């Protein structure tokens, strides 16, 4: 990849983040009356639903804190903007502190009302992972030991829950135990983030363990596939749930592994990430319409999930990151081609030049399915900052 | 509607059931080795997943028992086929008896393995409703008091759970109580079925109460809408969940109310059902591509569910029934037109003349999204028999 292309992309990703995504979300999602961030926004930024998803409280706080902490590396010297980012990060952190946790069991809520009254808790510990990285950046920004400790605590609660979800009525019986790649993935990226922000002591150990799980249990070399869901020892489960692949998710995991390989200068890890990317690109890239299919079946059979062939924003963002990273780490021209394919498709179809930011949900052929910009899952997170992370830093 | 058209439709629906849907499911779903019915079938009837959803065990057993019991009324005198239906109904009933219930709390499973080991239980009591009507038909077919009692017991467990879901970790907190039209609907149809099959004593009382709930809390005359989800006293909840309408579901409820009106010779109930149909047809019919949209927002805002604009088989089947019934009960030609619209659209897009039965899941424009014929929700249930019920009987 030549310098001109790198400069071009740098501009697209950095400007996209700072001049498009961030203003959209700062203008429309900050709730100055009740605290926190409103997550459900329509195409033009108007509010669709005042309820507050806790995922996005953590993710947006993290983004703001991370920008503040990395401004220098990003070549941003605008102190006024930095001060705003830190203030808004604190705004999110305060809402999480006040309304994010159920005092009865210490677990985090998934959804609360505009003013923070609890609506829903889920079985999973993903909310804790986003709170952990938000607290981590805030601790770094303010030098606060208290917040570093909160970050650690959220992290520990998350990994404990992955290992032993006690006190929670399980979704399935013990008849056919299954595990998803999600817990390993989120363990890697959360540990990576907290290693950077608060120097999480046991990060490497957790990362090693999670990468080993993926390599041993989820990667199937004979089938050239990263399984989304397997048995406890990596058994392939020949049922709908077991056969359903999520290419964008596995491609996201691929870049987590590649950045670890890059950091450790470990060629084996880089190769592992590349392999995951190659396999799941081959399975997920839609040769008919372009873009990445959401779900595909291991054996090409029908998938039970209704939205299997839709195009979601986040797998495209993750694939932009993964292909660009692979291109930079290996110098292999095929990744530059793949990167150009997914970059072009994504910017042609997801971007909304009229109102800013990206659409989240397209039909297979790229037509917009729903015009909203934000909901419980889509916010300013899976966007260009993650793309630009390894690029500038 | 003239007699020629009625005869034409009678043939389509009866033959569709007896010569298309039923043979497809009898040939492919009966598990003679492990008992019960395999539910997940591909386009050609081959097995996609051996797990057994309990909804379909009950629904298919009900269908077989109901056919056996109503053969004479249907003008079917083929004793060999009747004997097969009863034997297969028993086959399903035995599987439910052996594997349908969790001895720990008496609640029914949602999903079990091929040989009946439990996989998943859900919070909701819909499985119990389908078991109840299956037991009811089997009791009627065999004259068994024991099975009539089992039917009653399932019914009571279902309504009790709707009223007081004790011992089950709720999905939402008490901050914003909501109720869905589903419990009222399923109460009506289950009580109607059990009144016919086992003479359920308190059926009318339950039906009255459920219809009153719909009339009072879910129907909004100022907005001309049947709300899917409301507050405990019918409050409109201005959030995604509260605004999301399910036109096919409300149209299904409409014909439950209309057949009750017809039975009681109660013009007010017939008008209520007609009104529900009119409103939700206006909201759900897709003027661009034809067919019924799955979800629409009360105010035309974006819907959060990804499959909002897909076309599912069951709302079309329910709308065929509702429009045909309205045409017959009122003589109003507009319902004949609506019936023709939905009938034609459904048979053009869902039917699979090559392998039989219907596809279940289409894109908005009528292209097939996934070719499977059966899964946890789609079986031989929402099909032509329900259409033909009031027509022949």
């Amino acid at each position: 990849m030549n310098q001109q292309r790198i400069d071009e992309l740098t501009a697209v990703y950095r400007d996209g983040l700072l001049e498009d995504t961030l203003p959209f979300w700062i203008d429309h999602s900050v709730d100055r009356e009740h605290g926190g961030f409103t997550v459900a926004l329509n195409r033009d930024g108007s509010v669709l639903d005042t309820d507050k998803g806790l995922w996005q409280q953590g993710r947006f706080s993290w983004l703001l804190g991370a920008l503040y902490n990395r401004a220098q590396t990003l070549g941003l010297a605008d102190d006024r903007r930095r001060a705003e980012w830190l203030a808004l990060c604190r705004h999110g952190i305060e809402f999480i502190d006040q309304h994010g946790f159920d005092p009865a069991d210490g677990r985090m809520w998934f959804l609360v009302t505009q003013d923070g009254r609890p609506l829903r808790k889920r079985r999973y510990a993903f909310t804790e992972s986003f709170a952990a990285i938000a607290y981590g950046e805030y601790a770094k920004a303010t030098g606060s030991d208290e917040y570093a400790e909160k970050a650690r605590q959220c992290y520990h609660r998350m990994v404990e829950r992955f290992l032993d979800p006690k006190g929670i009525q399980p979704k399935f019986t013990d008849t056919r135990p299954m595990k998803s790649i999600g817990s390993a993935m989120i363990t890697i990226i959360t540990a990576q983030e907290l290693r950077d922000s608060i120097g999480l002591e046991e990060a490497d150990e957790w990362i090693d363990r999670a990468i080993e799980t993926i390599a041993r249990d989820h990667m199937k070399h004979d089938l050239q596939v990263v399984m989304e869901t397997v048995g406890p020892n990596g058994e392939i489960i020949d049922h709908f749930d077991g056969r359903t692949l999520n290419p964008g998710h596995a491609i996201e995991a691929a870049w987590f592994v590649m950045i670890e390989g890059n950091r450790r200068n470990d060629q084996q890890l880089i190769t592992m990430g590349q392999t995951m990317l190659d396999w799941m690109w081959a399975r997920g890239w839609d040769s008919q319409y372009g873009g990445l299919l959401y779900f595909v079946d291991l054996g090409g059979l029908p998938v039970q999930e209704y939205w299997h062939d839709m195009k979601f924003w986040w797998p495209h963002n993750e694939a932009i990151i993964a292909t660009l990273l692979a291109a930079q780490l290996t110098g292999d021209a095929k990744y530059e081609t793949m990167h150009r394919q997914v970059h072009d498709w994504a910017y042609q179809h997801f971007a909304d030049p009229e109102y800013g930011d990206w659409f989240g949900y397209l039909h297979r052929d790229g037509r917009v399915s729903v015009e909203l910009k934000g909901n419980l899952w889509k916010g300013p997170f899976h966007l260009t900052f993650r793309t630009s992370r390894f690029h500038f830093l």
Side-chain angles (χ1 to χ4, degrees), chain A:
Chain A
M1 195 169 285
N2 64 40
Q3 193 56 43
Q4 190 196 335
R5 175 70 174 158
I6 292 177
D7 294 344
E8 211 177 280
L9 292 172
T10 302
V12 172
Y13 298 143
R14 187 176 51 196
D15 296 351
L17 172 65
L18 298 179
E19 314 305 336
D20 180 17
T21 296
L22 211 54
F24 184 91
W25 285 90
I26 290 179
D27 286 353
H28 300 297
S29 91
V30 180
D31 183 346
R32 305 203 183 258
E33 190 182 343
H34 305 91
F37 307 114
T38 304
V39 302
L41 301 180
N42 209 343
R43 180 179 181 186
D44 61 0
S46 57
V47 176
L48 281 173
D49 191 329
T50 54
D51 290 343
K52 287 172 177 146
L54 264 298
W55 281 28
Q56 302 295 359
Q57 308 304 314
R59 287 171 159 194
F60 197 12
S61 302
W62 168 83
L63 173 61
L64 292 156
L67 277 174
Y68 174 88
N69 288 325
R70 298 171 208 192
Q72 211 168 8
T73 337
L74 282 161
L76 301 167
D78 183 337
D79 282 345
R80 199 186 46 77
R81 291 189 81 170
R82 283 192 76 205
E84 187 189 19
W85 294 337
L86 183 57
L88 289 174
C89 173
R90 180 180 302 117
H91 175 87
I93 291 291
E94 284 171 356
F95 191 85
I96 297 172
D97 280 343
Q98 285 166 31
H99 306 294
F101 296 84
D102 181 355
D105 60 8
R107 287 175 55 209
M108 290 193 77
W109 299 107
F110 174 72
L111 185 67
V112 299
T113 61
Q114 186 175 39
D115 56 357
R117 285 167 299 137
L119 287 168
R120 189 174 177 192
K121 198 193 283 172
R122 299 195 71 169
R123 296 178 175 90
Y124 320 101
F126 295 115
T127 309
E128 278 79 350
S129 80
F130 304 123
I133 60 175
Y135 281 142
E137 293 299 331
Y138 187 67
K140 182 173 182 179
T142 58
S144 159
D145 288 342
E146 182 197 343
Y147 277 95
E149 192 45 41
K150 286 191 184 199
R152 264 185 211 97
Q153 201 172 42
C154 280
Y155 181 79
H156 289 134
R157 281 177 176 277
M158 175 193 85
V159 289
E160 274 160 28
R161 190 106 52 81
F162 288 151
L163 299 174
D164 179 19
K166 54 179 173 272
I168 301 162
Q169 281 180 4
K171 194 162 175 176
F172 294 91
T173 67
D174 295 332
T175 301
R176 184 191 297 145
M178 291 187 292
K179 66 178 179 187
S180 152
I181 199 171
S183 2
M185 280 174 68
I186 207 82
T187 299
I188 297 173
I189 190 72
T190 311
Q192 287 171 334
E193 287 292 332
L194 294 184
R195 187 173 57 192
D196 287 351
S197 60
I198 60 161
L200 181 74
E201 297 73 14
E202 69 274 30
D204 285 7
E205 197 184 314
W206 280 107
I207 292 169
D208 286 346
R209 206 182 302 179
I211 289 180
E212 195 192 316
T213 298
I214 294 176
R216 187 190 57 219
D217 296 338
H218 292 272
M219 290 180 76
K220 304 294 172 195
H221 287 263
D222 50 341
L223 299 169
Q224 307 211 332
V225 70
V226 183
M227 301 298 293
E228 181 74 13
T229 305
V230 289
N233 301 306
E235 301 91 336
I236 288 186
I237 298 173
D238 189 12
H239 295 276
F240 279 125
D241 286 352
R243 288 196 309 260
T244 301
L245 308 176
N246 186 329
H249 214 206
I251 287 171
E252 183 179 1
W255 75 255
F256 297 172
V257 175
M258 281 191 274
I259 54 169
E260 195 61 25
N262 186 44
R263 180 192 166 104
R264 299 185 186 186
N265 204 9
D266 178 337
Q267 185 54 47
Q268 217 178 326
L269 285 189
I270 293 174
T271 304
M272 171 179 164
Q274 257 183 278
T275 306
M276 294 169 70
L277 169 59
D278 290 350
W279 288 350
M280 298 313 280
W281 179 278
R283 288 182 178 265
W285 185 259
D286 182 351
S287 55
Q288 195 176 346
Y289 292 101
L292 283 164
L293 294 163
Y294 197 87
F295 287 126
V296 294
D297 182 273
L298 177 63
L301 293 171
V303 172
Q304 187 159 250
E305 258 50 60
Y306 309 141
W307 60 97
H308 64 102
D309 68 351
M310 286 177 68
K311 308 285 165 67
F312 282 32
W313 89 104
W314 67 261
H316 292 81
N317 196 251
E318 302 300 341
I320 287 173
I321 302 178
T323 50
L324 186 51
L325 183 59
Q328 290 184 298
L329 294 183
T330 68
D332 188 335
K334 83 171 177 187
Y335 293 116
E336 201 175 330
T337 307
M338 286 156 64
H339 171 264
R340 197 179 285 269
Q341 266 181 284
V342 66
H343 172 98
D344 289 352
W345 200 93
Y347 278 85
Q348 274 159 29
H349 294 90
F350 288 104
D352 178 13
E354 196 168 338
Y355 290 98
D357 204 44
W358 280 21
F359 296 114
Y361 304 92
L362 311 179
H363 289 297
R364 182 173 175 185
D365 60 7
R367 282 174 305 120
V368 174
S369 166
V370 68
E371 291 191 338
L372 56 74
K373 294 285 168 59
N375 60 13
L376 294 176
W377 297 278
K378 184 178 180 294
F381 182 69
H382 274 281
L383 278 170
T384 37
F385 182 62
R386 302 239 293 188
T387 311
S388 60
R389 277 189 91 223
F390 60 84
H391 198 74
F392 302 118
L393 306 185

